Amino acid sequence: MAKGKRSRTLSETENSAIKRKRPSGDNHIVDHQGEGETSTSALEVLKQAGLHLDVNNQPNELDVDPVIFQKTLSDNLRRHISYPDVVDEVISALSNHIEDPKRFCWSLMPTVELSDSELVSKKESHDSAVRLLLGVECLQAKLINLLLEKLPEISTQDDEYSVVEGQTINMARLIISQMRWLDRLVDSKQLIGKLDEILSVTPLEVQREIITCVPEILEDQDHPEIAKLLSELLNQSGELTVPILDSLTNLNIPPDLLSDIRQSVTNTLDSVELDDLPVIVKFLLQSVSKEDAPDVVQDLRMKLEFDPNFQDFSSQRSRRLSQTSRVDHSVKSRDSITLTLDTIKSTSRFQKIVADAWIKAIENANNRDNQKALDIVVMFILHGLPSKKKPVESLLRNKIRAGLFTGDLLMSTFSHHSQVLQEYFPSILALSEVLLRSAEMTISCFASAIYQQAFKAFDSYCQQEIIGSLVTHIGSGSDLEIDSSLDILSSLIHTNVDKMTTYAVFIKGVLDYLDNLSFGQIRKLYTMLSILAFASNQEGGLLQDDMHIIIRKQLSNNATKYKQMGIIGTIAIVKALNYGKESSDEPLNSDVYKQVINLLQLAQQCCSKMPEATALFMDETADVIKTSSIHPQVENWINENVTADFQDKFVIDVDAQPLPKDSPISLSLQYALDVDNEGAIGISILPLLLEHQQNATKTDSKSCSLMSLASHFRLLRTCELKQNNGRLEGIDALLGCSLIFCHDDVYSKLSSFSLSEKETVLNSLFIAINWFRELVSGFASQSDAEMKAKVIKRLQNIIDIQDILKSTLSCVPNYVPPVSTFDSVDSTLKVLAATVQPKGKGGKHKKKGESSKAVAADHACANDDTCIITQQCNNETIDKTQDLKKTQSKEEQQSVDLSTYQPYFRELDLDVFTILDTSSIIETSHDTEENTIGKETIKIEPPQLKFLLDDLARKLDHCLVPSISKKRSFLKIGKSTKNAGFSQIDQLSSKTVAGRILQFLPSLCQHLDEVTSFFQGLLDENDGVVDGPGTEAGEAQILSQCTQLILHIIATLLSWNGFLLVENRDLLRKALSVLSRRLQTKEILATQASVCDAVSDSFKHLEGFTDLVPHLSTGVALLKVMLSVASHGDKEDFAKQIVEFTEAILQRDWLDEDGQRGKGSKHNALIHSVIKIYLANSDDRMTILESLCTTGMAELLKIDHYTHSATYPTLTKNTYPIFYRSILTELVEVVKTISPPKKTSTEQEREDKLMQWGVAVRTFHILVNLVKVFDARVNISSILKCGRQFVDIFLRLGMPLLDTVFRHHKDEVQSLLKNLQLSTRALQHICGHLKIMKDVSLTNQVPIVKKCLETFVYRVKAMLNINKCLQAFWVGNLKNRNLQGEEILSQTTVQSNDEDSDSDDAETVLEEENSDVEMEDTSDKSEITSNHGNTDEDEYSEQF
């Protein structure tokens, strides 16, 4: 560090000791101690030069200018007769003079002016006598030695501090300060040696003073030597770390030495004192260079531990501290952490390389166990830098997507460093707002966790800002933001009711914008406000009054929409009355009870004439009774006043009321299970519909009364369960009763009916399905075997009616079913009638991919949202359907896909899936005399199993967020329909749902074993032939779909991000133990198995299914389960098995359900998933990529018409683009990991990297040339994008390697560059080909590709220049060519009209002329081309 101008005066404390001057005279130079004549004569020399040394307790005096004094003294000494002995005499005299501590102190203090002197400067004081003498070159060296030798003396004699006129002065500091900023050092080498000697014998405090002043004492040329000395001292004493690093920071040190010092400093981080940490971090980051920054930051990241133990570095000392001292130590630790983070922030702000290095270090941590709290803190810090917002947001999203940043890590970060993080609250809030807007569920959930942890950890100001931010998100208009914000607020209210009451006014403001919210969102809002108003310990009277006013206004409104809002608000208040109370026996306050009952009565009265509102009221009431502890007084009122009239409305006595014979639609009793029972009852469905048809207007084709049938029964059976301890014997007759329904012959004659009659029949089918679904939901949990048997039969009834619907829906264009879910803004949901699928010979191909198997395949590929589109699309599709019908024969049956009608079916409860645990039930038939006349075995059949599994899969996809990110649908689905069919499960937490599914997991595994046993039997029958006879049969197809659905359910459960939290580890252990217990060789109790053991055993169990995979979609589902299991352990332990399975999938020729080779978008998506998993888990990805190119794709080229590869049958002409894009993308990712060489890299390491680049370039060359054969647009797009990335990465990471190895590996480098130039020439040909194609979107990529190729040319030239081989560089004009190498002439031959031209010859003008280069090896005349174009030698017109 160059010396600058600094003040040479002492501090104010030391200067204040000098207040006055005394008159001059000769009597002050007296031998006070009786010194000899030699000493007196030596001092006379100083006096003659103008310095008067005082022997009393007074400052020394100067009567001439300091510069004149120094020059005069120097001249006098040099002209002295006894020179150079006089120098020793002067030093000896000074030594005698300063033997007295007071005289020594005054010698170090500023001198004063004589009263009669004529100084030019006219200052009150000047430099001290010692410093003036140090300016004399002949005295400097010996005087410095004298001063330094005084340091040990004053330390041992307790003279370290001196008092001058009441001021305490540090003598050691005063001595060292004399040597600071001298104009010239005479002998710096001797000074360094003396400093080394003194440092070894002085106390710690003196050492710190010396080390701190070293940069100000020595000159720049001496810095390397003293740096070595300080570095050695740093390794010897950790107590001197701070002053040494301070000094090193101010020294000019060579890069190599600085790197060694940094490494030694980094090695001390594990044992360093917490107080020293900020200084160490500052030194490491401020002294870093661009080349060393990644390594230094990576080492710093690994050494710094921001975990709970971070605050106790000195653990042994900490254990000896008292309680008070521990508190002080904690505060001190927090301050040290704050200073450390401030250092990181400041260095990142002013040094771009440091910020980039932090981002790179965090990005390279790909192991979940390697994630640190420091990573999150640093990302919060970096996000506060304007230039790093986007990179930090992108990196954080990637970390969350990969499941590396978990809720536990975030919780630990906030809980242990809350006060430190509060300083970065603006950055934390801004980052949370960005993440919450993400369309990916995992990222949005992580943002929610940040909000919640920040609210718990920070003060009231920050809490208010958080609530304000969440309310702002609610007003954004985005459903994703609104849902996430409401969920966060709801969670905060449930965990911090008292705190949230303070901010209730913010949340209440959202009531002004209810029109912009869906009913599900309104339910969440009213629930929160009700809790704050009625359940908070603080006063909520004002909020209660506001809610009563708003709800009463809504209930009194004539619009159905606002009545429904009022109903939701009413039930929310009822639910909140008993919130948080341990006992429900406490009577309600009479005023509160009266208000609630009045609200319920008002709600019941206002919705009595609106079926939709009535049904919603009953559904909401049933949900509250079932999911919460409602107050008994309110529950009794509901049971007495709401459910009592069910029988009068819908149930008839079959024997007493015969069926009418004059009905326009023939009636019959259908689906009766209690045929022989006396007093049989039935549900009047079709008669009520016909009655309504006669009384309703012509435009309304739906029955009002039957709209509430399912909802009314739901409320009835919920109250029955509550009052009878979970038993339903009181209403079990409804389970087996018949339906008053249309006759079976009606369906075949439906085309001859009128439009209203057709709609009536279809309405009855939908109502019947929903009735049976509610029956199944209600009675599935009953343990009685007879009821279980009836429930299974009702499941089959649902399937049968759905089959009828598939064949009859096409008869009524634009048909809209009756509403079954009433918590939607629009009373009528709009649905797209699925394209009619004709059955028979001609319709076989169309049905493929749209069957139930295809629906199940969607679960394996992605989580598809329910498709609800506009009526306009519906009309267009119906028109196409009608045109199709005209061309088909009347006898041809037609089928409609019911998946788009899912919102019109009632939601099944989770209790339904207890049926999965039902074994075979033997049902006995009796005659009138109770004699057994037959027995029937009832069990779950494959169609029923598939029905249940499909519904369960949809539920899990909706409510369990995976740990690996999955994007929510980008389609603009309406607020009222996106959650249709999931309103009940949405009211349960994810943890509750996961816990319920765990109860069904043993049953699912049992069914999985039974299904695989079926396929094992088929395999044995076919002598090991996988695709043998029987595998395409109907039963085998359904069982294959069941297998896939079971695997998908298990994968969804195990991928739930909640398992990453410590609080859910027990649930994870139980889930894995269920799988591990399937192994016959090892029985482990769930409470005894560790997670690692359970993961290992579960994976082994899943490996047993790999040979029994019937279809590709099933194989992918099994693969995802294996990945989900492996993610909870060490993935590297299972990578080999996963690679073997994925390779087996790729090497098998998969057939679809029709026995044909698989193809289509879904098939390609499955293949793409397998390839990604195959490459991601391979140990040597480069070798795998090369094998796929040289083996698989080469085989595809050799076969006529490119049918498929022999080694990889899944590689066909149809799947080639998938393989091609995947290989290119993975190749780019692989070369990113080949880091450039370091200065410390060995020769072997450089050779290994060169070999890796050689393989990568060869693979890239093959991939580029394949475009000449497979020139589809998608392949060209892939090579343009990935090819540019590959060349760019090679320039950044590969060329620095070639710079260093070219001299020793000339042939290898030339071969590599030759292959790469051939590839870049092919890229140039592709760019030329795009101009012929005139594809605008692809042509837009050409400029950046060409820029990258030109950069490659000049970078090669720079490499040759570095290695003194520039003469081997050729450059020429490259012609434009197409993919086949044919020249492209874009302009005709023209005649030059320039009069000054020397010739009139015609010339061909190319549209573009691009530079091309070659390198020539003068020894063997071999050349290496290094840009784009063909290898034709005549293309080069010039050579430089």
Side-chain angles (χ1 to χ4, degrees), residues 743-926:
H743 198 275
D744 292 338
D745 297 338
V746 170
Y747 308 122
S748 60
K749 303 175 183 179
L750 191 61
S751 58
S752 62
F753 284 24
S754 66
L755 179 60
S756 61
E757 291 173 343
K758 291 178 183 179
E759 292 181 342
T760 301
V761 172
L762 292 179
N763 287 345
S764 67
L765 292 173
F766 273 97
I767 293 173
I769 289 176
N770 289 324
W771 167 250
F772 286 147
R773 290 173 74 95
E774 279 300 332
L775 287 178
V776 171
S777 295
F779 289 92
S781 60
Q782 300 300 296
S783 58
D784 182 72
E786 182 179 358
M787 289 188 183
K788 286 283 188 184
K790 291 181 180 180
V791 168
I792 294 175
K793 290 181 179 180
R794 288 309 186 198
L795 279 177
Q796 187 58 45
N797 293 153
I798 295 174
I799 297 172
D800 294 340
I801 299 177
Q802 286 183 348
D803 291 338
I804 297 174
L805 269 178
K806 291 178 183 179
S807 60
T808 56
L809 275 172
S810 59
C811 297
V812 184
N814 301 326
Y815 168 73
V816 178
V819 178
S820 64
T821 55
F822 305 96
D823 53 351
S824 57
V825 176
D826 298 327
S827 60
T828 302
L829 301 178
K830 296 178 181 179
V831 65
L832 171 66
T835 303
V836 176
Q837 303 168 355
K839 294 183 179 179
K841 183 177 179 180
K844 190 172 184 180
H845 179 72
K846 286 189 176 182
K847 186 176 179 181
K848 176 186 174 185
E850 297 175 359
S851 63
S852 56
K853 178 186 176 182
V855 175
D858 292 342
H859 290 296
C861 300
N863 178 21
D864 293 339
D865 291 327
T866 306
C867 224
I868 307 293
I869 0 183
T870 61
Q871 187 66 36
Q872 181 179 0
C873 296
N874 186 15
N875 294 336
E876 294 176 358
T877 305
I878 293 301
D879 293 340
K880 295 178 181 179
T881 302
Q882 292 174 345
D883 294 339
L884 181 63
K885 287 176 63 179
K886 294 178 181 178
T887 62
Q888 294 173 340
S889 61
K890 295 182 180 180
E891 293 82 7
E892 217 173 27
Q893 295 181 347
Q894 296 177 339
S895 177
V896 174
D897 185 9
L898 290 181
S899 61
T900 54
Y901 288 91
Q902 195 62 40
Y904 292 91
F905 297 131
R906 296 283 292 183
E907 181 181 359
L908 293 177
D909 290 353
L910 285 177
D911 294 334
V912 169
F913 303 106
T914 57
I915 304 173
L916 295 171
D917 195 28
T918 304
S919 57
S920 299
I921 300 173
I922 299 177
E923 189 176 38
T924 305
S925 301
H926 302 277

Side-chain angles (χ1 to χ4, degrees), residues 949-1016:
L949 295 175
D950 190 64
D951 189 82
L952 181 57
R954 282 197 301 270
K955 281 182 167 59
L956 294 190
D957 288 338
H958 175 77
C959 65
L960 293 187
V961 179
S963 57
I964 304 299
S965 184
K966 184 187 297 182
K967 282 191 177 182
R968 286 174 278 196
S969 175
F970 62 89
L971 297 174
K972 291 187 178 180
I973 302 174
K975 296 178 183 178
S976 60
T977 58
K978 69 172 186 175
N979 292 325
F982 300 107
S983 59
Q984 298 172 29
I985 201 170
D986 280 342
Q987 299 181 47
L988 303 177
S989 65
S990 297
K991 183 176 181 180
T992 302
V993 174
R996 293 293 304 278
I997 302 303
L998 281 181
Q999 301 174 8
F1000 312 139
L1001 192 55
S1003 303
L1004 292 172
C1005 292
Q1006 181 62 37
H1007 285 290
L1008 181 62
D1009 291 342
E1010 293 175 358
V1011 173
T1012 51
S1013 299
F1014 171 82
F1015 286 108
Q1016 182 65 55

Side-chain angles (χ1 to χ4, degrees), residues 694-713:
Q694 296 173 0
N695 300 329
T697 61
K698 295 182 180 180
T699 58
D700 189 359
S701 62
K702 296 182 289 294
S703 171
C704 294
S705 59
L706 280 176
M707 265 192 186
S708 60
L709 170 63
S711 302
H712 204 150
F713 171 73

